[in-house]
Amino acid sequence: HCGGVGVRALNDIRDRSSRVFLMSRRFACALCLLLLCAGAAADSSEFKKAVAAERKGDYQRAHYTFSMLAGQGDPKAQHALGRLYEHGRGVQGNAQTAMQWYRRAADQGHADSEYRLAVAYAYGVGGYPQDNREAVIWLKLAAEHGHGKARKMLARAYEHGGLGLQPDPKQARYWQRQKKSKKNEQKKQLKKKP
């Protein structure tokens, strides 16, 4: 009888240990998620402060914050930093540096950066060689991510045979419809806001 009680006690201890381990593991996971969300919220807050600083003309503060966030991989901050370099706000204007930041953001699916790269390739800007093939690739990516100007530029290119594309009325209509559907979505969103 004594041996059976000892085994049961050991089993109880093992079961309690497993439950404690699972609870502590769940707690650790919840804590990690909370910290990640807090970090993202702080980054979002910092980004908004940088945008406000840029609007007020405090380009040095905007540059500092955008640089910090861009270094952490934030595509919106990378794009904003590219914009500062493109327009020479708070930094010496440098098209090549601007395009490098746009490329980093575009590689993460930032539509406006994809469009800026497309334009750079279409016209040979920022140290990029004029390359219609690359321009069309980046335009399609931007258009697929909802960028209205990219959709319009693609529609015109297919309509008139620009950017090395053969005229294709079907593709032109497709991208025109996409552009119109984007405008309709935006109108619906504006109507929903009080």
Side-chain angles (χ1 to χ4, degrees):
H1 292 284
C2 281
V5 171
V7 170
R8 261 188 263 140
L10 284 174
N11 284 339
D12 280 348
I13 291 170
R14 191 170 16 130
D15 288 344
R16 286 184 197 149
S17 295
S18 309
R19 278 184 263 155
V20 168
F21 174 75
L22 285 175
M23 287 181 2
S24 63
R25 193 169 176 190
R26 287 181 186 147
F27 177 76
C29 287
L31 183 60
C32 285
L33 281 173
L34 180 64
L35 290 173
L36 283 173
C37 289
D43 288 350
S44 174
S45 170
E46 290 300 311
F47 181 81
K48 287 177 183 176
K49 288 178 186 175
V51 169
E54 181 184 10
R55 286 185 181 146
K56 290 178 185 173
D58 188 353
Y59 300 123
Q60 289 176 335
R61 180 178 298 225
H63 179 267
Y64 174 80
T65 305
F66 288 146
S67 294
M68 179 186 64
L69 296 172
Q72 295 171 3
D74 183 325
K76 291 188 306 185
Q78 291 168 341
H79 177 79
L81 198 53
R83 220 179 36 242
L84 291 179
Y85 279 101
E86 181 180 0
H87 300 290
R89 294 183 183 143
V91 293
Q92 185 169 349
N94 186 323
Q96 266 187 306
T97 302
M99 290 302 137
Q100 289 170 354
W101 284 111
Y102 290 147
R103 178 63 187 248
R104 288 181 185 181
D107 285 342
Q108 296 184 68
H110 190 275
D112 201 22
S113 291
E114 292 168 338
Y115 175 73
R116 301 248 184 183
L117 283 178
V119 170
Y121 278 114
Y123 300 104
V125 176
Y128 284 82
Q130 196 279 328
D131 185 335
N132 286 334
R133 190 178 143 280
E134 282 292 316
V136 170
I137 289 169
W138 287 107
L139 266 181
K140 284 183 178 180
L141 285 170
E144 288 167 2
H145 289 133
H147 197 279
K149 289 181 181 178
R151 289 175 175 180
K152 183 178 181 177
M153 195 169 173
L154 268 177
R156 285 185 178 166
Y158 278 115
E159 186 176 0
H160 303 292
L163 296 174
L165 296 171
Q166 294 298 314
D168 186 338
K170 187 176 178 180
Q171 281 291 315
R173 281 191 303 276
Y174 171 78
W175 288 111
Q176 287 167 347
R177 280 194 308 271
Q178 294 299 312
K179 185 177 180 299
K180 287 179 184 177
S181 70
K182 168 110 173 138
K183 281 185 177 179
N184 289 337
E185 287 174 31
Q186 289 171 338
K187 285 179 185 177
K188 286 179 186 177
Q189 291 298 323
L190 289 174
K191 288 180 182 179
K192 287 181 183 178
K193 292 182 180 180

